[in-house]
PDB file of all heavy atoms in Angstrom:
ATOM      1  N   SER G 201      12.168  31.293  56.564  1.00 96.00           N
ATOM      2  CA  SER G 201      11.072  31.800  55.787  1.00 96.00           C
ATOM      3  C   SER G 201      10.512  33.038  56.452  1.00 96.00           C
ATOM      4  O   SER G 201      10.717  33.300  57.628  1.00 96.00           O
ATOM      5  CB  SER G 201       9.987  30.723  55.661  1.00 96.00           C
ATOM      6  OG  SER G 201       9.449  30.366  56.908  1.00 96.00           O
ATOM      7  N   MET G 202       9.717  33.785  55.683  1.00 96.00           N
ATOM      8  CA  MET G 202       9.079  34.990  56.191  1.00 96.00           C
ATOM      9  C   MET G 202       7.744  35.110  55.566  1.00 96.00           C
ATOM     10  O   MET G 202       7.587  34.945  54.305  1.00 96.00           O
ATOM     11  CB  MET G 202       9.935  36.203  55.943  1.00 96.00           C
ATOM     12  CG  MET G 202       9.369  37.437  56.636  1.00 96.00           C
ATOM     13  SD  MET G 202      10.395  38.951  56.265  1.00 96.00           S
ATOM     14  CE  MET G 202       9.727  39.372  54.692  1.00 96.00           C
ATOM     15  N   VAL G 203       6.732  35.464  56.312  1.00 97.00           N
ATOM     16  CA  VAL G 203       5.366  35.726  55.819  1.00 97.00           C
ATOM     17  C   VAL G 203       4.989  37.194  56.242  1.00 97.00           C
ATOM     18  O   VAL G 203       5.079  37.508  57.382  1.00 97.00           O
ATOM     19  CB  VAL G 203       4.349  34.776  56.375  1.00 97.00           C
ATOM     20  CG1 VAL G 203       2.946  35.082  55.871  1.00 97.00           C
ATOM     21  CG2 VAL G 203       4.710  33.340  56.042  1.00 97.00           C
ATOM     22  N   GLU G 204       4.690  37.991  55.253  1.00 97.00           N
ATOM     23  CA  GLU G 204       4.345  39.377  55.523  1.00 97.00           C
ATOM     24  C   GLU G 204       2.846  39.634  55.307  1.00 97.00           C
ATOM     25  O   GLU G 204       2.304  39.234  54.305  1.00 97.00           O
ATOM     26  CB  GLU G 204       5.138  40.303  54.589  1.00 97.00           C
ATOM     27  CG  GLU G 204       4.863  41.768  54.835  1.00 97.00           C
ATOM     28  CD  GLU G 204       5.798  42.736  54.087  1.00 97.00           C
ATOM     29  OE1 GLU G 204       6.869  43.039  54.595  1.00 97.00           O
ATOM     30  OE2 GLU G 204       5.384  43.090  52.922  1.00 97.00           O
ATOM     31  N   LEU G 205       2.230  40.289  56.291  1.00 97.00           N
ATOM     32  CA  LEU G 205       0.838  40.681  56.187  1.00 97.00           C
ATOM     33  C   LEU G 205       0.768  42.201  56.385  1.00 97.00           C
ATOM     34  O   LEU G 205       1.323  42.742  57.375  1.00 97.00           O
ATOM     35  CB  LEU G 205       0.011  39.983  57.275  1.00 97.00           C
ATOM     36  CG  LEU G 205       0.062  38.431  57.336  1.00 97.00           C
ATOM     37  CD1 LEU G 205      -0.726  37.936  58.518  1.00 97.00           C
ATOM     38  CD2 LEU G 205      -0.462  37.849  56.039  1.00 97.00           C
ATOM     39  N   VAL G 206       0.116  42.885  55.471  1.00 97.00           N
ATOM     40  CA  VAL G 206      -0.037  44.330  55.551  1.00 97.00           C
ATOM     41  C   VAL G 206      -1.500  44.678  55.578  1.00 97.00           C
ATOM     42  O   VAL G 206      -2.247  44.208  54.721  1.00 97.00           O
ATOM     43  CB  VAL G 206       0.655  45.069  54.376  1.00 97.00           C
ATOM     44  CG1 VAL G 206       0.628  46.561  54.597  1.00 97.00           C
ATOM     45  CG2 VAL G 206       2.106  44.552  54.231  1.00 97.00           C
ATOM     46  N   ARG G 207      -1.941  45.493  56.526  1.00 95.00           N
ATOM     47  CA  ARG G 207      -3.335  45.874  56.606  1.00 95.00           C
ATOM     48  C   ARG G 207      -3.417  47.406  56.806  1.00 95.00           C
ATOM     49  O   ARG G 207      -2.602  48.028  57.477  1.00 95.00           O
ATOM     50  CB  ARG G 207      -4.001  45.201  57.823  1.00 95.00           C
ATOM     51  CG  ARG G 207      -4.070  43.681  57.676  1.00 95.00           C
ATOM     52  CD  ARG G 207      -4.938  43.271  56.542  1.00 95.00           C
ATOM     53  NE  ARG G 207      -5.043  41.813  56.419  1.00 95.00           N
ATOM     54  CZ  ARG G 207      -4.208  41.044  55.724  1.00 95.00           C
ATOM     55  NH1 ARG G 207      -3.207  41.571  55.067  1.00 95.00           N
ATOM     56  NH2 ARG G 207      -4.402  39.747  55.735  1.00 95.00           N
ATOM     57  N   ARG G 208      -4.442  47.970  56.205  1.00 93.00           N
ATOM     58  CA  ARG G 208      -4.726  49.408  56.433  1.00 93.00           C
ATOM     59  C   ARG G 208      -5.390  49.565  57.750  1.00 93.00           C
ATOM     60  O   ARG G 208      -6.237  48.773  58.117  1.00 93.00           O
ATOM     61  CB  ARG G 208      -5.648  49.908  55.298  1.00 93.00           C
ATOM     62  CG  ARG G 208      -5.910  51.414  55.357  1.00 93.00           C
ATOM     63  CD  ARG G 208      -6.911  51.783  54.295  1.00 93.00           C
ATOM     64  NE  ARG G 208      -6.328  51.888  52.989  1.00 93.00           N
ATOM     65  CZ  ARG G 208      -5.606  52.876  52.514  1.00 93.00           C
ATOM     66  NH1 ARG G 208      -5.375  53.926  53.323  1.00 93.00           N
ATOM     67  NH2 ARG G 208      -5.117  52.888  51.303  1.00 93.00           N
ATOM     68  N   SER G 209      -4.971  50.557  58.471  1.00 90.00           N
ATOM     69  CA  SER G 209      -5.570  50.855  59.778  1.00 90.00           C
ATOM     70  C   SER G 209      -5.455  52.317  60.086  1.00 90.00           C
ATOM     71  O   SER G 209      -4.419  52.932  59.958  1.00 90.00           O
ATOM     72  CB  SER G 209      -4.863  50.051  60.895  1.00 90.00           C
ATOM     73  OG  SER G 209      -5.503  50.295  62.144  1.00 90.00           O
ATOM     74  N   GLN G 210      -6.574  52.963  60.500  1.00 81.00           N
ATOM     75  CA  GLN G 210      -6.600  54.357  60.775  1.00 81.00           C
ATOM     76  C   GLN G 210      -6.228  54.700  62.205  1.00 81.00           C
ATOM     77  O   GLN G 210      -6.191  55.901  62.568  1.00 81.00           O
ATOM     78  CB  GLN G 210      -7.976  54.930  60.431  1.00 81.00           C
ATOM     79  CG  GLN G 210      -8.380  54.763  58.945  1.00 81.00           C
ATOM     80  CD  GLN G 210      -7.331  55.378  58.030  1.00 81.00           C
ATOM     81  OE1 GLN G 210      -6.854  56.470  58.236  1.00 81.00           O
ATOM     82  NE2 GLN G 210      -6.992  54.632  56.959  1.00 81.00           N
ATOM     83  N   GLY G 211      -6.012  53.725  63.027  1.00 86.00           N
ATOM     84  CA  GLY G 211      -5.713  54.020  64.434  1.00 86.00           C
ATOM     85  C   GLY G 211      -5.039  52.849  65.119  1.00 86.00           C
ATOM     86  O   GLY G 211      -4.817  51.760  64.538  1.00 86.00           O
ATOM     87  N   SER G 212      -4.735  53.052  66.386  1.00 91.00           N
ATOM     88  CA  SER G 212      -4.054  52.022  67.207  1.00 91.00           C
ATOM     89  C   SER G 212      -4.948  50.772  67.288  1.00 91.00           C
ATOM     90  O   SER G 212      -6.144  50.852  67.271  1.00 91.00           O
ATOM     91  CB  SER G 212      -3.749  52.558  68.589  1.00 91.00           C
ATOM     92  OG  SER G 212      -2.914  53.732  68.481  1.00 91.00           O
ATOM     93  N   GLY G 213      -4.264  49.650  67.445  1.00 92.00           N
ATOM     94  CA  GLY G 213      -5.034  48.375  67.597  1.00 92.00           C
ATOM     95  C   GLY G 213      -4.183  47.406  68.352  1.00 92.00           C
ATOM     96  O   GLY G 213      -3.068  47.713  68.872  1.00 92.00           O
ATOM     97  N   VAL G 214      -4.696  46.232  68.512  1.00 94.00           N
ATOM     98  CA  VAL G 214      -4.026  45.125  69.212  1.00 94.00           C
ATOM     99  C   VAL G 214      -3.930  43.920  68.334  1.00 94.00           C
ATOM    100  O   VAL G 214      -4.944  43.505  67.717  1.00 94.00           O
ATOM    101  CB  VAL G 214      -4.784  44.789  70.528  1.00 94.00           C
ATOM    102  CG1 VAL G 214      -4.111  43.611  71.228  1.00 94.00           C
ATOM    103  CG2 VAL G 214      -4.839  45.995  71.433  1.00 94.00           C
ATOM    104  N   LEU G 215      -2.740  43.360  68.199  1.00 95.00           N
ATOM    105  CA  LEU G 215      -2.543  42.109  67.465  1.00 95.00           C
ATOM    106  C   LEU G 215      -2.882  40.963  68.436  1.00 95.00           C
ATOM    107  O   LEU G 215      -2.326  40.914  69.517  1.00 95.00           O
ATOM    108  CB  LEU G 215      -1.119  41.980  66.990  1.00 95.00           C
ATOM    109  CG  LEU G 215      -0.722  40.607  66.427  1.00 95.00           C
ATOM    110  CD1 LEU G 215      -1.524  40.299  65.201  1.00 95.00           C
ATOM    111  CD2 LEU G 215       0.800  40.580  66.151  1.00 95.00           C
ATOM    112  N   VAL G 216      -3.849  40.122  68.049  1.00 95.00           N
ATOM    113  CA  VAL G 216      -4.281  39.039  68.865  1.00 95.00           C
ATOM    114  C   VAL G 216      -4.099  37.710  68.090  1.00 95.00           C
ATOM    115  O   VAL G 216      -4.286  37.670  66.893  1.00 95.00           O
ATOM    116  CB  VAL G 216      -5.806  39.224  69.202  1.00 95.00           C
ATOM    117  CG1 VAL G 216      -6.348  38.016  69.976  1.00 95.00           C
ATOM    118  CG2 VAL G 216      -6.024  40.506  70.043  1.00 95.00           C
ATOM    119  N   GLY G 217      -3.716  36.666  68.838  1.00 96.00           N
ATOM    120  CA  GLY G 217      -3.523  35.357  68.220  1.00 96.00           C
ATOM    121  C   GLY G 217      -2.862  34.397  69.126  1.00 96.00           C
ATOM    122  O   GLY G 217      -2.852  34.588  70.368  1.00 96.00           O
ATOM    123  N   ALA G 218      -2.362  33.336  68.561  1.00 96.00           N
ATOM    124  CA  ALA G 218      -1.646  32.313  69.367  1.00 96.00           C
ATOM    125  C   ALA G 218      -0.577  31.698  68.519  1.00 96.00           C
ATOM    126  O   ALA G 218      -0.645  31.626  67.274  1.00 96.00           O
ATOM    127  CB  ALA G 218      -2.649  31.241  69.774  1.00 96.00           C
TER     128      ALA G 218
END
Side-chain angles (χ1 to χ4, degrees):
S201 63
M202 188 181 81
V203 179
E204 181 173 272
L205 305 176
V206 186
R207 296 295 182 271
R208 184 184 284 279
S209 182
Q210 299 304 317
S212 302
V214 176
L215 171 63
V216 174

